[in-house]
Amino acid sequence: MKPIYVTQPTLPPLAEFIPYLEKIWDNKILTNGGAFHQQLEQALCDYLGVKHLALFTNGTIALITALQALRITGEVITTPYSFVATAHSLLWNGIKPVFVDIDPISLNLDPAKIEAAITPQTTAIMPVHCYGYPCDVARIQEIADNYNLKVIYDAAHAFGVHDKNGGILNHGDLSVLSFHATKVFNTFEGGAIICPDEKTKRRIDHLKNFGFVDEVTVVAAGINGKMSEINAAFGLLQLKGIDEALAKRKIIDARYRDGLKNVTGIRCANVGEHVANYAYFPIFVNSPNRDALYEKLKENGIFGRRYFYPLISDFPMYRSLPSAAQSNLPVARQISHEVICLPMYPNLENEQVDFIVSLITEFLEDL
Ligand code: T4K
């Protein structure tokens, strides 16, 4: 059987992309805010229900630039249970990450533990909507307001996620998306910053273009974070298929849940289906069985991933921070030893889901 990976990018029929390429070949504008770039920014604002969006070359550069845009310095409170790019974006800005433990249900920053981590040096909170599950945005905003802190959401996983109040990307000062190949909506590589006002969007646009305002004026030590026309054109095409892709993910999520509902020894994440975009399908298995199951799946050609193990705070550039101490992050640590993200992508077939479920069932029965 062919290997099944944790994800597989959704691609439209190649023929449908050719007309976009022909346009690029005709007008010779390859990058620097061309027509496709402008169209995709507008199309994404419309689709996501957000006011302003600046496209980026990838999510990591977008995170780094978001921190620059708000002139964040000092210490920033963040989660250890994420992809390493979250905290790396802080180090690239000379900011000290302060890790706070997560909530065991939402798997996101536990708001009850944020206040104790605030010091006079704290300038912002960088929560992550992990797996696309919404953070407790109301409580985080309350704390930010009380302490005059900025909030930058790492929303890399949260494309199209809504909570009971609408789009999750409208919270905080900024939200950052990733359009990497492995994401729900992909432009091969790509990302975006979402912001509420025109002025901030202008600053972000300057920052992603070396700080240029016009031919002779540079207002900041900006970077090259621009998305190319090829990626933007591909995004426009991808957007046509996004609703179908999300619907297929929902069906797969339901099939996994149904198959696993009577299996003892594992649990599925449970944040309420109305809020998910089904970006990932994490299951939690008691340690040390997790690694044995992970290996058994691999032996059978199923390449799940332990997102997010190890914790960011365990990597060498973070582990000497006081907030990285074992005793500070018990929930995140336990979850990171229990998690396996099972394959989840729109073209995953029913038989493949059933096969994965049967391997898990068999493993747990054999214990
Ligand atoms: N913040 C958060 C919370 C994030 O999760 C991420 C990225 C970022 C920020 C940064 O955004 P970007 O700068 O990446 O836009 C992957 C992705 O590389 C990374 O984008 C993602 N998070 C992270 C959670 O997962 P790896 O090292 O696990 O990817 P990789 O290459 O092992 O891919 C996983 C599987 O996907 C492969 O086994 C096969 C399949 N695959 C992958 C690629 C790249 C394909 O079928 N085709 C492909 O082109 O990090």
Side-chain angles (χ1 to χ4, degrees):
M1 205 170 85
K2 269 175 70 179
I4 302 174
Y5 297 105
V6 68
T7 188
Q8 185 183 78
T10 311
L11 293 171
L14 186 55
E16 290 182 21
F17 194 40
I18 304 298
Y20 291 83
L21 293 178
E22 284 170 348
K23 276 201 182 137
I24 295 173
W25 258 246
D26 280 349
N27 65 27
K28 311 279 185 296
I29 301 296
L30 311 187
T31 186
N32 288 7
F36 286 133
H37 185 285
Q38 289 171 35
Q39 283 171 40
L40 183 59
E41 285 196 344
Q42 189 54 55
L44 285 171
C45 281
D46 296 344
Y47 182 81
L48 297 169
V50 300
K51 284 217 181 77
H52 300 280
L53 179 148
L55 289 172
F56 271 81
T57 184
N58 61 56
T60 306
I61 296 287
L63 279 173
I64 290 170
T65 308
L67 290 157
Q68 290 271 324
L70 300 184
R71 299 178 173 87
I72 304 298
T73 55
E75 295 179 4
V76 170
I77 289 172
T78 191
T79 168
Y81 190 74
S82 179
F83 189 60
V84 73
T86 308
H88 278 2
S89 73
L90 299 172
L91 288 198
W92 272 69
N93 277 291
I95 294 165
K96 180 176 168 188
V98 175
F99 297 109
V100 163
D101 208 2
I102 59 169
D103 173 86
I105 305 298
S106 74
L107 309 172
N108 293 320
L109 269 185
D110 183 345
K113 296 180 180 154
I114 292 178
E115 275 188 275
I118 295 173
T119 75
Q121 282 70 48
T122 311
T123 55
I125 308 173
M126 185 183 270
V128 178
H129 300 298
C130 190
Y131 308 133
Y133 304 157
C135 293
D136 188 340
V137 288
R139 286 194 59 201
I140 289 173
Q141 195 57 55
E142 213 172 87
I143 297 165
D145 289 344
N146 279 347
Y147 290 87
N148 197 22
L149 306 176
K150 301 284 187 197
V151 182
I152 299 176
Y153 281 102
D154 179 340
H157 303 171
F159 187 92
V161 173
H162 284 64
D163 68 5
K164 55 185 186 309
N165 298 316
I168 198 72
L169 301 170
N170 284 313
H171 295 281
D173 294 279
L174 299 174
S175 288
V176 176
L177 287 166
S178 164
F179 306 147
H180 182 260
T182 54
K183 296 294 186 284
V184 161
F185 171 80
N186 90 75
T187 57
F188 280 41
E189 290 270 5
I193 303 180
I194 286 154
C195 64
D197 64 282
E198 180 110 40
K199 193 169 160 225
T200 312
K201 154 85 166 137
R202 248 197 325 271
R203 174 161 167 81
I204 292 166
D205 283 345
H206 295 155
L207 282 170
K208 79 177 190 191
N209 188 29
F210 314 98
F212 274 110
V213 171
D214 58 37
E215 237 176 276
V216 292
T217 316
V218 173
V219 291
I223 199 161
N224 182 357
K226 293 166 275 115
M227 177 180 275
S228 85
E229 285 293 275
I230 287 233
N231 299 100
F234 188 73
L236 283 167
L237 183 54
Q238 287 289 66
L239 209 47
K240 294 184 181 175
I242 187 68
D243 287 333
E244 188 187 336
L246 290 170
K248 284 184 177 172
R249 285 178 179 274
K250 183 173 181 172
I251 291 168
I252 295 163
D253 182 281
R255 195 171 185 94
Y256 267 132
R257 282 179 195 277
D258 191 52
L260 293 169
K261 70 175 185 275
N262 296 323
V263 182
T264 48
I266 67 150
R267 62 181 199 286
C268 301
N270 192 5
V271 289
E273 69 173 303
H274 61 289
V275 295
N277 64 357
Y278 314 101
Y280 295 85
F281 195 87
I283 60 167
F284 304 93
V285 188
N286 288 347
S287 164
N289 297 336
R290 189 276 303 269
D291 288 340
L293 175 58
Y294 174 73
E295 292 303 329
K296 177 182 166 108
L297 291 172
K298 258 174 43 178
E299 282 157 21
N300 286 276
I302 310 300
F303 294 86
R305 292 294 284 267
R306 289 164 292 186
Y307 296 136
F308 289 101
Y309 166 85
L311 292 178
I312 298 178
S313 46
D314 284 343
F315 290 119
M317 59 298 295
Y318 300 104
R319 64 180 169 226
S320 60
L321 291 168
S323 64
Q326 299 256 351
S327 56
N328 190 42
L329 308 165
V331 179
R333 191 160 301 282
Q334 183 178 343
I335 299 279
S336 83
H337 281 97
E338 293 182 349
V339 69
I340 302 178
C341 286
L342 298 180
M344 166 54 93
Y345 50 90
N347 290 338
L348 193 65
E349 288 160 17
N350 284 345
E351 301 69 47
Q352 295 176 310
V353 174
D354 295 346
F355 177 58
I356 295 165
V357 167
S358 71
L359 286 173
I360 296 170
T361 310
E362 199 179 277
F363 172 83
L364 290 161
E365 281 171 0
D366 287 351
L367 283 180

